[in-house]
Amino acid sequence: MAAVVAQSHHIFGLRTGVRNNLLFFDEQTVIFPSGNNCVRYNIDQKWQRFIPGTERSHSMQALAISANRRYLAVAERGEKGTITVYDLQHEQSRKRKVLTGGEVAVQEFVCMAFSPDSKYLLGQAGGPEWTLFYWVWEKHKVMATVKTTSTGPISQVSFNPQDNTQICVSGNGVFKLFRYAEGALKQSNAVKETQNILSHAWMSEERVIAGTETGRLLVFESGDLRWEMSVTSKASTQEAERRTEKKSEDAPSVPASLPRVTAITAYSKGFACSAGPGTVCLFEKTEEKDNYRRTREIKIPPDPCSNEPSQAEQQEITTLCISPSEETLATSTDRGQLYHITLSSAEMSKGEQAQFEFLSHSFHSSVITGLSICMRKPLIATCSLDHSVRIWNFETNALELYKEFQEELYSVALHPSGLFIVVGFSDKIRLMNLLTDDIRTFKEFTVRGCRECAFSHGGHMFAAVNGNVIHIYSTTTFNSILNLKGHNGKVRSIAWSADDSHLVSCGMDGAVYEWNTLSGKRESESVLKSCSYTGVALSPETKSIFAVGSDCTLKEIHDCQILREVVSDDVLYTTIAMTHSGRALFTGTAIGTVRAIKYPLPLQKEWTEYQAHSAPITKMVVTFDDQYLLTVSEDGCLLIWKIIDKEGWGLKRDKEMTYAEEILITKSDLEEKNQIMLELKTRVEELKMENEYQLRLKDMTYNEKIKDLTEKFTQQMESLRTENKVLKTETEKQEVVHHEALIEVMERHSKEQQDLESTNNQKLMLEYEKHQELQLKSQQMQESYEEKLRQLEDSKVRALEEITQFYEAKIQEKVLTLGQCQDESWQQVREFEEMTKQMEEDTDRELQDIRVKYERKLREEKETNLRLKGETGVMKKKFSSLQREIDDRNVEIEKLKVEQQKLLAFIKSLEKDILGLKRGIQESHLTIQDKDKLIYDLKKKNQELEKFKFVLDYTVKDLKSKIEPRENDIKELKGQIQEMEGELDQFHKKNTQLELTIANLKLKLKATDKEMHKEMQRVRDVEALVQKFKTDLHNCVGFIQEPKKLKESIRNLYERYVQQSDVVEMVGGVGVDTDIQREYSRQREHLEKNVASLKKKLANETEVHQAVKVKMMKENVFLIKEINDLRKELMVVRAQVHDYEIQVGLNKKNKPKSNRDIRMTASAGTATRLEEEAERIIQLQRLELQRLRQEVQGQSRTLTPPTPSASTKLPALTA
C-alpha cells in the first residue's frame, strides 16, 4: 500500500446532465454532483463533505432526497443501472442499499423519487423498455413494475405528497397517474397528452401543475386537464422575439424558440418555475377559483467579466429547489453554474428587477485544458475551452479573479511570484499581469496553438510548445532563447528540473527527451514508438524520469533506459505528478480516478485508487509544500486533495512561512482610484452637512407635533377617566343584582339536582341490577361460543401447521440440494479461472522474454548492418568475405524465423486449449441453466403452496362468514330474552298486586269469621233462652186449669223474657232509616255470599270425610267379623270342653263320691276360668271399638263444626 494518502478537500465545479442536480439538505447546506462525487456544501461556513461515487460507474444520471432529508438516492450507469441510497445523518454518509432492476435488464435510471414517509422509492428505467420500479427500498423488495411509455423519454416521476400509493409520471407525450393496488401499479387517468412535458409538481392531494416545452403550464385535477396558461408575460415574449430577430439576422436558419418550462417546484404560497433562458417566475395562489397569478420574475444577472455579458442570461435552468423554511430559492443551469436568492428579498424589491447571486463561485462550464500554481502565493490558475481564465485560492477556497476572452484557451502557466501569467491561445501566447480586479495583457508572442507552457522555477524563463517544437523565452527581455527541435510528433507534456538547467519533454511520437536549457542540446532520450506519451514528471534529484502514455503503463526511465514498468490493469494513464519529497507518485486516468503509488516503484501492482472525476483527468499538480494535490478534468471540475504522508517523510510545512500579500496595480488605475476616493470623501462631507441640517429641521417640526399631541392626549385622558368612574359605579350595581340572581338560581339548581340525583340513583340501581344479570347471561353465551371458536381455530391451526411443516421439509431438502450443486459449480468455475490465469501469465511471460530476446538481436543486427553499410565504400576488397558473413547472418535469421513459427504453433495449441476450457465453461453454464430450471420448478411449487394457502384463507373467511349469522341469532335471542325479562317484570308487578288483593281478602275473611263466631254465639244464647222459655212455658201450661196461677205465671214469663228495649225496637223498627237497611242488606248479601262459599268448601270437605268414614266403617266391619269369628271359635271350644267333661264323667262312675266331687269342683273352676278369659277378651275388644268410635267422632267434630240451619227444630218438651 502507498505511504501517502490523498483526501478530498474542496472541489470547484458542477456536473451537468444529472437530473435534479441541486438539493437542499437543510437550511444552510446543499447537495450537488461534482466530478464523480456528491458534495454537501455549507453556504455560510463554506465547507464541503464528499460522498464518493461507485467504482467503474460510467455516468451519474439522477439524484433524489427523501422528504425527511435523511436519505439520498444516486442513480448511476455502469454495466447495469444502479441506485445507491446513502444515510446523510451518518458522518461519512454510509451506503444503506444498492438497488438494481433484478431480473429485468436495466442500463440506466433516468429519474427517481422518494415517498412522503421515505419508505418507498420510485425508479424510472431508460429506453427502450421505460419500466417504472416501485421499491420498499429498505427491504430491497420490488413491490410493482409498470411500463410507462414505449416511445418518448420520461422527464420526471413523483409521489403524491399525501398518498404513498399515487404516482405521477410525465414525459414526451406522457402524463399518467398510477395507483398501487393489489400488488400492481394501475393507471388511474385517461388523459392522452400530445405535448412534451418537461417537469411537474404536486400542489395538493389532487392538483398537479406541469410545464411543457412550448412554455405552457397545464393544471390537472384528479388526472383531468382543468385549464392551462402561458408562463411568459407580454414583455418577456417581446424580449424573446427581439432576441430571436437578432439571432435570425446573424443566422437566418435558426428557428425562433419558445421558453421551455424545464423545472417546477411548489411551496406554501404557490410555485416557482423556469420561464425561458435565465428566468424564473413566481406564481401565487389567488382566492378566485383556485387560480394562480404571476407575482415576480427573477433573472440571472449579466456577467461583467465576460466578453459578452448577455451570454450568462441565456443559460437554461435545469433544477429549482427551495430550502425547508422556504427562505431561499436555488437553481442550477446547463452551463454548470449554481445561483440562489432569498425569497424575502425577491418580494421586497418589487420596484426593481430581482436577480440571482452565485451560490458559491463561478465555475468552468467546459473542458479544463490548463493548470498551474506558484510558489509565493496560494494561487491556482486554470483555463478552459469556455474561453475563460480563473485564478483560485486553495487556502481560502475562493475564486480570486476570472476573465473571459473571445478565443479558445489551450494552456496556462503561473509565474512563481504569482503576479504574472502566460496563456496559450489559438493564435498566439500572451503574457498577462494579474491585477487586483482584472487580467491585462502585457506582451504577446507569435506561437500558434500552444498546448503546453510552463515557467521555470526561478521565473526568469518560460517554455511554450508549438506542435513538435519547444520555444524558450526570457521573462525579462522577452526574447526567444532556444528552439528545441527533435520530436517527430506533437509534444504533450514538459517539465523543468529543480535547478532549471534541464527540461524534459514527451510527445505522441513515443519519445522522451531531456534537454539542456543552457546549450539547447539533447542529453538523453528514450524512444518507444508503440507508445504515445501524454504525461511526464521528474524526480527531485533529476535522476529519474516518469512517463505515462497510451500503453497503459507507468515507466521509470534512467540513463535512457526503462528501469521499471507498472501495468495499470487496462486503464489509460493521462497525466502524472510526483511529490517534492520523492516519496510518492500520483497518476490521473482516463476514467477520472486518481492513483497514489509509493516510490520506489513496487514490483507488484500496489496502489491506492480514489474516485475523483467523471471524465479523463487532463492536468495534475502537487503544491510546492506537498500539502495539496490539484487535479482538473474534462468534466470542468477542479479538485483539491489534502496529502497526508503516513511515514512522516516529505517537506513539512513551515509554521512561520507566510505567503506574499503584494499585488499588481497600474499607475493609471491607482490614480483613478485615488481621485475617486477624494471625490467620495468630499461627497461624504457634503452629505454630512446636508444630513445635519435636515435632522435639525426635522427635530423642530417633530417637537411642535409632540407638543400638540401631548395636549390632545391629556384632554382625552381626563374625559376617559370620568367615563371610567361612571362605568365603574354601574358595574358595581349590576354585579350586586347579578349576585343575588345567581344565589337564587344556585339554590334552585341544587334542589333540582338533589331530586334528580335521588330519582336517578333509584333508576340506576334497578338498571344496574338488570345490567348485571344480562352481563352474566351474555358472558356465559360468549364463553360458550368462544370455546367453540377456539376449538375450530385450534383444529385449523393444527392442520395448517402440519401442511406447512410437510412442505417446508420438502423445500429445505431442495434448498440443500441446490446449495450443494451451486457450491460444486462455483468450485469448478474458480478452478477454471485459476487455470486460465496461470496459463495466461505463463504465456505472457514467455512471450515477453522472447520479444525482449529477439528485439535485442534485431538491434544488434541493425547496428551491424549500419556498420557494414558505412564500411562498404572503404573495404571493397573484403566484400566477398562480408557477403559470406551476411549469408551466415541470413541463415541465422531463417533459423530464428523457424523458431518463431514453432512458437506461433505452440501459441495456437494453447489457444485451442483455451477454446476447450471455454467449451467446459459453456457446459457448466448449461448445468447452471438446468439448476435454474429446477429452481423455477420449485418456485412453481411454492406458488401452488401459496394458492393452497389462499384456499385455506378462503375457508377461514367462509367460517367467519358462517359465524356471523350465528352471532346475529345470538343478538336476536338476546333481544327475546330482554322482551321476556320485560314480561317477567310485568308478571312480577301483577303478582305483587294480586298478593296485595289476597292480603286484603284474608283480612276481610278474618273479619267475617269473627262476625260469624259472634252470630253463632248469639244463636246458641238464643237457643238456650228458647230452651228455658220452653221449660217455663211447659210449667205454665201445667196451670191451664187454674186461671189465676196461669195468669201469674204468664206475667212472670213476660217480665222475665220481654224487655222494654225489645218493645221499643219492635215499635220503632218500622221507622228505621232506609240507609241503615241498605247497609244491612249489603252486609247481609256479603255474608250470604261468604256463607255460600263456605258451604261449598264444607260440602267438599264432607265428601272427603265421608270417604274417611266409609274407610273406617269398613275397618270396623272387618273387626266385627273377627270378633264374630272369635266368638264362634269360643263356642266350639266350649262345646269341646263340654264333650270332654261328659267323657270324663262316664269313665269315672265307679270312683268314690269324694274324688268325684273334688274333680267336679276342679272342672267347674277351670270352666269359670275359661269363661272369665273370654269375657275379658270381649271387653277389651269393646273398649277398642269405643276408642275408635270416639276418635272418629272427634275427627268429624273438628272437620264439621256445628252450623245452625233454618230447618232445625226445637226438641220436644219433656215433663
Side-chain angles (χ1 to χ4, degrees):
M1 295 296 289
V4 173
V5 177
Q7 290 182 351
S8 302
H9 179 63
H10 204 88
I11 193 165
F12 298 98
L14 174 68
R15 185 169 180 173
T16 58
V18 180
R19 182 73 188 175
N20 203 18
N21 63 354
L22 182 60
L23 304 166
F24 266 101
F25 172 61
D26 56 31
E27 198 59 37
Q28 300 300 328
T29 310
V30 294
I31 297 173
F32 59 87
S34 184
N36 199 29
N37 306 288
C38 284
V39 182
R40 292 167 64 178
Y41 175 68
N42 189 290
I43 301 169
D44 289 342
Q45 300 175 7
K46 310 295 182 185
W47 54 255
Q48 289 184 353
R49 301 284 184 272
F50 290 83
I51 305 169
T54 56
E55 296 179 2
R56 306 291 179 183
S57 68
H58 297 163
S59 63
M60 197 180 292
Q61 298 296 115
L63 299 182
I65 195 166
S66 61
N68 58 7
R69 312 282 175 180
R70 179 174 179 179
Y71 302 110
L72 175 71
V74 181
E76 292 175 298
R77 182 177 185 178
E79 294 178 358
K80 57 181 180 179
T82 60
I83 294 174
T84 309
V85 181
Y86 297 92
D87 188 354
L88 296 176
Q89 287 189 354
H90 196 267
E91 286 183 2
Q92 293 161 358
S93 302
R94 63 184 178 88
K95 282 185 186 179
R96 285 294 297 269
K97 292 289 177 185
V98 178
L99 307 175
T100 61
E103 296 177 357
V104 182
V106 177
Q107 294 296 319
E108 61 179 355
F109 291 96
V110 295
C111 48
M112 302 172 297
F114 276 99
S115 63
D117 59 1
S118 306
K119 291 181 180 179
Y120 303 97
L121 179 67
L122 284 177
Q124 175 64 58
E129 295 297 327
W130 299 104
T131 306
L132 179 67
F133 291 84
Y134 184 77
W135 283 288
V136 180
W137 65 268
E138 287 183 343
K139 297 180 181 178
H140 205 287
K141 182 182 178 183
V142 178
M143 300 290 287
T145 58
V146 68
K147 187 174 181 180
T148 52
T149 183
S150 57
T151 55
I154 298 298
S155 59
Q156 190 178 351
V157 295
S158 64
F159 276 98
N160 187 326
Q162 306 295 328
D163 189 359
N164 287 340
T165 61
Q166 194 171 16
I167 295 158
C168 181
V169 179
S170 64
N172 189 2
V174 177
F175 184 83
K176 295 180 180 179
L177 294 177
F178 293 93
R179 187 172 286 280
Y180 177 75
E182 299 176 358
L185 288 170
K186 299 177 181 178
Q187 188 174 349
S188 58
N189 69 330
V191 176
K192 290 184 179 179
E193 193 60 46
T194 57
Q195 301 186 60
N196 185 5
I197 296 174
L198 301 178
S199 58
H200 70 261
W202 289 86
M203 301 304 296
S204 64
E205 194 173 353
E206 295 182 350
R207 177 174 291 184
V208 182
I209 290 183
T212 68
E213 194 175 21
T214 58
R216 305 294 294 173
L217 289 174
L218 312 177
V219 180
F220 296 90
E221 285 191 6
S222 302
D224 299 325
L225 180 62
R226 296 298 181 193
W227 50 276
E228 63 177 288
M229 60 182 286
S230 176
V231 75
T232 56
S233 62
K234 291 181 181 179
S236 58
T237 52
Q238 287 173 3
E239 286 177 7
E241 285 172 2
R242 286 172 192 167
R243 287 173 187 165
T244 51
E245 282 173 7
K246 286 179 183 178
K247 287 181 182 178
S248 62
E249 287 173 4
D250 297 333
S253 61
V254 177
S257 60
L258 291 167
R260 289 154 48 91
V261 184
T262 53
I264 297 178
T265 184
Y267 65 107
S268 58
K269 292 182 180 179
F271 66 92
C273 68
S274 63
T279 306
V280 173
C281 291
L282 297 179
F283 287 82
E284 289 185 2
K285 191 174 181 180
T286 61
E287 296 179 357
E288 298 177 359
K289 298 181 181 179
D290 293 336
N291 288 332
Y292 296 92
R293 63 182 179 85
R294 179 172 169 165
T295 56
R296 296 297 296 156
E297 188 178 84
I298 309 167
K299 290 201 171 187
I300 294 173
D303 191 354
C305 296
S306 175
N307 240 347
E308 293 182 7
S310 62
Q311 280 187 354
E313 298 177 349
Q314 297 303 312
Q315 297 180 86
E316 187 174 78
I317 289 164
T318 57
T319 305
L320 284 172
C321 61
I322 294 176
S323 63
S325 64
E326 298 184 353
E327 288 186 2
T328 308
L329 173 66
T331 180
S332 64
T333 68
D334 60 342
R335 294 185 191 171
Q337 305 299 327
L338 296 175
Y339 297 94
H340 76 122
I341 189 171
T342 55
L343 290 175
S344 58
S345 66
E347 290 173 1
M348 290 291 288
S349 60
K350 290 189 177 179
E352 301 174 0
Q353 177 70 47
Q355 290 185 340
F356 283 105
E357 297 174 356
F358 281 111
L359 187 68
S360 60
H361 304 287
S362 173
F363 300 140
H364 283 295
S365 60
S366 186
V367 177
I368 298 176
T369 56
L371 172 68
S372 182
I373 59 170
C374 65
M375 294 176 69
R376 295 288 309 282
K377 291 185 178 183
L379 297 180
I380 307 164
T382 58
C383 65
S384 170
L385 296 180
D386 61 2
H387 302 180
S388 69
V389 173
R390 294 170 196 263
I391 308 298
W392 314 85
N393 190 318
F394 59 80
E395 279 210 332
T396 60
N397 298 323
L399 178 65
E400 297 280 337
L401 281 172
Y402 80 98
K403 188 171 184 179
E404 289 189 6
F405 301 90
Q406 290 183 349
E407 302 89 354
E408 288 185 345
L409 289 79
Y410 298 127
S411 60
V412 68
L414 194 60
H415 193 270
S417 65
L419 300 174
F420 311 106
I421 193 171
V422 168
V423 182
F425 290 87
S426 59
D427 56 347
K428 61 188 74 176
I429 289 176
R430 294 178 185 175
L431 179 63
M432 300 181 174
N433 292 329
L434 296 179
L435 304 178
T436 55
D437 55 358
D438 194 10
I439 302 171
R440 290 186 188 173
T441 303
F442 178 66
K443 181 69 177 177
E444 292 183 352
F445 303 92
T446 57
V447 178
R448 291 180 175 275
C450 178
R451 298 281 177 176
E452 287 291 325
C453 62
F455 274 100
S456 62
H457 292 94
H460 59 288
M461 293 184 290
F462 70 88
V465 174
N466 181 11
N468 57 0
V469 180
I470 302 169
H471 302 279
I472 297 176
Y473 291 92
S474 171
T475 54
T476 54
T477 62
F478 309 119
N479 296 324
S480 176
I481 300 171
L482 291 172
N483 292 325
L484 306 178
K485 297 177 181 179
H487 283 281
N488 295 323
K490 289 183 179 180
V491 177
R492 296 294 300 276
S493 180
I494 57 175
W496 287 90
S497 63
D499 57 358
D500 295 335
S501 62
H502 293 85
L503 180 73
V504 177
S505 64
C506 68
M508 296 179 71
D509 56 354
V512 177
Y513 295 142
E514 184 179 0
W515 307 88
N516 190 321
T517 57
L518 299 174
S519 62
K521 292 181 180 179
R522 189 166 59 196
E523 291 193 352
S524 67
E525 63 181 22
S526 174
V527 180
L528 184 62
K529 291 188 177 180
S530 60
C531 176
S532 177
Y533 288 111
T534 56
V536 69
L538 280 169
S539 64
E541 298 85 8
T542 323
K543 290 181 180 178
S544 298
I545 301 168
F546 304 96
V548 293
S550 60
D551 60 351
C552 300
T553 58
L554 166 63
K555 297 178 182 65
E556 183 181 0
I557 302 168
H558 186 73
D559 293 335
C560 303
Q561 290 185 355
I562 297 171
L563 283 181
R564 294 183 188 86
E565 288 187 3
V566 179
V567 183
S568 64
D569 285 344
D570 297 329
V571 175
L572 185 66
Y573 287 138
T574 57
T575 183
I576 186 169
M578 191 173 194
T579 59
H580 295 278
S581 63
R583 299 294 299 165
L585 283 162
F586 294 99
T587 59
T589 66
I591 60 172
T593 59
V594 172
R595 289 182 179 179
I597 305 170
K598 188 177 179 182
Y599 184 76
L601 293 176
L603 297 173
Q604 298 177 351
K605 302 172 184 176
E606 290 185 5
W607 58 69
T608 306
E609 191 165 12
Y610 304 99
Q611 298 296 315
H613 296 276
S614 60
I617 294 174
T618 55
K619 297 291 177 183
M620 180 183 289
V621 177
V622 177
T623 58
F624 289 97
D625 55 1
D626 282 349
Q627 295 292 317
Y628 297 102
L629 169 70
L630 313 171
T631 58
V632 294
S633 170
E634 291 181 7
D635 60 5
C637 296
L638 165 64
L639 182 53
I640 303 172
W641 304 79
K642 185 83 173 173
I643 300 174
I644 301 168
D645 193 342
K646 288 186 176 179
E647 295 181 0
W649 293 82
L651 293 171
K652 292 186 178 178
R653 190 169 186 177
D654 190 358
K655 292 183 180 177
E656 295 179 358
M657 175 186 172
T658 55
Y659 288 111
E661 294 183 355
E662 63 268 12
I663 56 170
L664 282 181
I665 186 166
T666 60
K667 188 178 180 180
S668 59
D669 289 343
L670 189 62
E671 288 175 353
E672 284 178 5
K673 287 184 178 179
N674 288 331
Q675 186 66 33
I676 290 165
M677 284 175 69
L678 288 170
E679 289 175 358
L680 289 170
K681 281 180 182 178
T682 54
R683 179 65 179 157
V684 165
E685 289 176 356
E686 290 174 358
L687 286 170
K688 276 183 181 179
M689 295 291 288
E690 287 179 2
N691 287 329
E692 286 176 358
Y693 178 69
Q694 292 292 331
L695 283 169
R696 285 173 187 170
L697 289 174
K698 285 180 180 179
D699 287 336
M700 294 289 287
T701 54
Y702 285 134
N703 286 325
E704 290 177 357
K705 287 180 181 178
I706 286 164
K707 285 180 183 178
D708 296 334
L709 288 169
T710 49
E711 288 176 358
K712 287 180 182 177
F713 281 125
T714 50
Q715 291 176 0
Q716 289 177 359
M717 292 269 288
E718 288 175 358
S719 62
L720 288 169
R721 279 174 187 169
T722 54
E723 288 178 0
N724 196 4
K725 287 179 182 178
V726 173
L727 290 169
K728 277 184 181 178
T729 53
E730 289 178 357
T731 50
E732 286 174 357
K733 289 178 183 178
Q734 287 179 358
E735 280 178 358
V736 171
V737 173
H738 286 302
H739 186 66
E740 291 174 355
L742 249 174
I743 291 166
E744 290 177 0
V745 170
M746 290 292 285
E747 287 176 355
R748 285 179 196 168
H749 178 67
S750 61
K751 287 178 183 178
E752 289 175 357
Q753 190 175 3
Q754 288 174 0
D755 296 337
L756 287 168
E757 282 179 354
S758 60
T759 53
N760 287 326
N761 285 329
Q762 291 175 0
K763 289 179 182 178
L764 275 169
M765 290 297 290
L766 293 169
E767 293 294 328
Y768 183 70
E769 289 173 358
K770 291 178 185 177
H771 180 66
Q772 282 183 340
E773 291 175 359
L774 289 169
Q775 273 187 343
L776 289 169
K777 289 179 183 178
S778 65
Q779 283 177 359
Q780 291 173 1
M781 296 285 282
Q782 281 180 355
E783 287 173 359
S784 62
Y785 280 112
E786 282 176 357
E787 285 177 0
K788 290 178 183 178
L789 282 168
R790 284 172 190 165
Q791 291 173 1
L792 288 168
E793 286 177 355
D794 292 336
S795 62
K796 285 173 186 174
V797 168
R798 286 170 192 164
L800 265 172
E801 286 177 353
E802 290 173 358
I803 292 161
T804 51
Q805 286 175 359
F806 175 71
Y807 283 107
E808 280 177 356
K810 280 189 175 181
I811 288 164
Q812 286 176 357
E813 290 175 2
K814 297 293 183 184
V815 168
L816 288 170
T817 54
L818 258 175
Q820 291 174 359
C821 294
Q822 284 178 354
D823 293 335
E824 291 174 1
S825 64
W826 278 111
Q827 286 177 358
Q828 290 175 1
V829 169
R830 285 171 186 166
E831 289 173 359
F832 174 71
E833 285 177 352
E834 287 177 359
M835 289 286 289
T836 52
K837 282 181 182 177
Q838 290 175 0
M839 295 290 286
E840 285 175 357
E841 288 175 358
D842 293 337
T843 53
D844 290 336
R845 286 173 187 168
E846 289 176 0
L847 285 168
Q848 195 168 2
D849 293 336
I850 292 162
R851 189 175 70 182
V852 170
K853 183 179 176 183
Y854 284 105
E855 280 178 355
R856 285 177 184 171
K857 287 184 179 181
L858 282 168
R859 284 176 188 170
E860 290 173 359
E861 291 297 328
K862 284 179 181 179
E863 287 174 0
T864 53
N865 285 326
L866 288 168
R867 204 175 295 141
L868 289 168
K869 284 177 182 178
E871 292 173 357
T872 50
V874 181
M875 300 176 69
K876 287 182 181 180
K877 294 178 181 180
K878 297 179 181 180
F879 178 79
S880 59
S881 61
L882 290 171
Q883 189 69 37
R884 288 171 189 171
E885 286 177 1
I886 289 163
D887 293 334
D888 295 333
R889 296 294 180 186
N890 288 328
V891 169
E892 286 178 1
I893 288 162
E894 286 175 0
K895 288 178 182 178
L896 291 170
K897 284 181 179 179
V898 169
E899 288 178 0
Q900 191 177 4
Q901 287 176 358
K902 288 178 182 178
L903 289 169
L904 288 169
F906 182 69
I907 290 163
K908 287 179 181 178
S909 65
L910 289 173
E911 285 177 352
K912 287 179 181 178
D913 294 333
I914 289 163
L915 288 170
L917 291 169
K918 284 182 178 178
R919 286 172 187 167
I921 290 166
Q922 288 178 355
E923 289 174 359
S924 64
H925 281 305
L926 291 171
T927 56
I928 289 162
Q929 285 177 359
D930 295 332
K931 300 295 181 185
D932 290 333
K933 286 179 181 177
L934 284 171
I935 291 163
Y936 181 72
D937 295 331
L938 288 170
K939 283 183 179 177
K940 278 189 174 179
K941 287 180 181 178
N942 194 6
Q943 287 177 358
E944 290 175 359
L945 287 171
E946 286 179 352
K947 288 178 182 177
F948 187 69
K949 184 182 175 184
F950 177 76
V951 171
L952 288 173
D953 291 334
Y954 181 76
T955 53
V956 168
K957 287 179 182 177
D958 192 10
L959 288 169
K960 284 182 180 178
S961 63
K962 287 180 181 178
I963 287 162
E964 286 178 357
R966 289 184 181 178
E967 288 178 351
N968 293 326
D969 295 335
I970 289 163
K971 287 180 182 177
E972 290 176 0
L973 290 169
K974 283 181 181 177
Q976 291 178 2
I977 287 162
Q978 287 177 355
E979 291 175 359
M980 291 172 76
E981 284 177 351
E983 291 176 0
L984 264 173
D985 292 332
Q986 291 178 359
F987 283 128
H988 282 306
K989 288 177 182 178
K990 287 180 181 178
N991 283 331
T992 51
Q993 289 177 358
L994 290 169
E995 284 175 358
L996 290 170
T997 53
I998 288 162
N1000 292 326
L1001 290 169
K1002 282 181 179 178
L1003 290 170
K1004 288 179 181 178
L1005 268 172
K1006 286 180 181 178
T1008 51
D1009 286 334
K1010 286 179 182 179
E1011 288 177 359
M1012 188 177 73
H1013 286 301
K1014 286 180 182 179
E1015 290 294 327
M1016 286 172 71
Q1017 189 64 35
R1018 282 179 65 191
V1019 168
R1020 287 172 187 166
D1021 294 336
V1022 169
E1023 285 178 351
L1025 195 138
V1026 168
Q1027 190 69 28
K1028 286 179 181 180
F1029 181 74
K1030 281 182 180 179
T1031 54
D1032 290 335
L1033 189 64
H1034 186 269
N1035 292 326
C1036 187
V1037 171
F1039 295 105
I1040 197 160
Q1041 297 296 330
E1042 296 177 358
K1044 289 182 179 180
K1045 290 182 178 179
L1046 180 66
K1047 189 177 178 181
E1048 288 177 359
S1049 59
I1050 289 166
R1051 193 178 287 162
N1052 291 328
L1053 283 171
Y1054 181 78
E1055 289 175 358
R1056 188 182 296 171
Y1057 293 105
V1058 177
Q1059 294 178 359
Q1060 191 67 31
S1061 61
D1062 294 331
V1063 175
V1064 171
E1065 283 176 3
M1066 290 175 68
V1067 175
V1070 181
V1072 176
D1073 194 4
T1074 56
D1075 293 332
I1076 295 168
Q1077 287 180 356
R1078 286 175 187 170
E1079 183 66 24
Y1080 173 73
S1081 61
R1082 190 176 63 78
Q1083 291 289 336
R1084 185 174 180 181
E1085 286 175 359
H1086 177 67
L1087 291 170
E1088 284 175 353
K1089 287 178 181 177
N1090 289 332
V1091 168
S1093 63
L1094 290 169
K1095 280 181 180 180
K1096 287 179 182 178
K1097 286 182 181 179
L1098 199 143
N1100 294 326
E1101 289 176 355
T1102 49
E1103 287 177 359
V1104 173
H1105 289 297
Q1106 281 176 0
V1108 174
K1109 281 181 182 180
V1110 168
K1111 187 177 178 182
M1112 291 180 74
M1113 287 294 288
K1114 286 179 180 178
E1115 289 177 352
N1116 288 331
V1117 169
F1118 179 72
L1119 291 169
I1120 289 164
K1121 282 181 180 179
E1122 285 184 349
I1123 291 165
N1124 291 326
D1125 292 334
L1126 290 169
R1127 282 179 180 173
K1128 286 178 181 180
E1129 288 178 356
L1130 205 151
M1131 288 294 288
V1132 171
V1133 169
R1134 283 178 179 176
Q1136 288 176 355
V1137 168
H1138 183 68
D1139 292 336
Y1140 180 70
E1141 285 176 353
I1142 292 167
Q1143 289 177 1
V1144 170
L1146 289 174
N1147 290 326
K1148 295 180 174 180
K1149 282 180 179 182
N1150 296 320
K1151 293 180 177 181
K1153 289 183 180 179
S1154 59
N1155 292 334
R1156 188 179 67 182
D1157 293 334
I1158 292 164
R1159 288 173 181 171
M1160 285 293 287
T1161 54
S1163 61
T1166 52
T1168 53
R1169 286 175 187 168
L1170 289 169
E1171 286 177 356
E1172 286 175 357
E1173 285 179 359
E1175 285 178 357
R1176 188 170 58 79
I1177 289 165
I1178 290 163
Q1179 286 177 357
L1180 288 171
Q1181 293 290 334
R1182 284 176 180 171
L1183 288 169
E1184 185 67 23
L1185 285 169
Q1186 286 177 0
R1187 187 179 65 77
L1188 290 169
R1189 283 174 182 170
Q1190 286 174 0
E1191 285 179 2
V1192 169
Q1193 286 176 0
Q1195 287 178 358
S1196 64
R1197 283 174 186 171
T1198 55
L1199 291 168
T1200 57
T1203 54
S1205 62
S1207 62
T1208 54
K1209 293 182 180 180
L1210 293 171
L1213 292 169
T1214 56

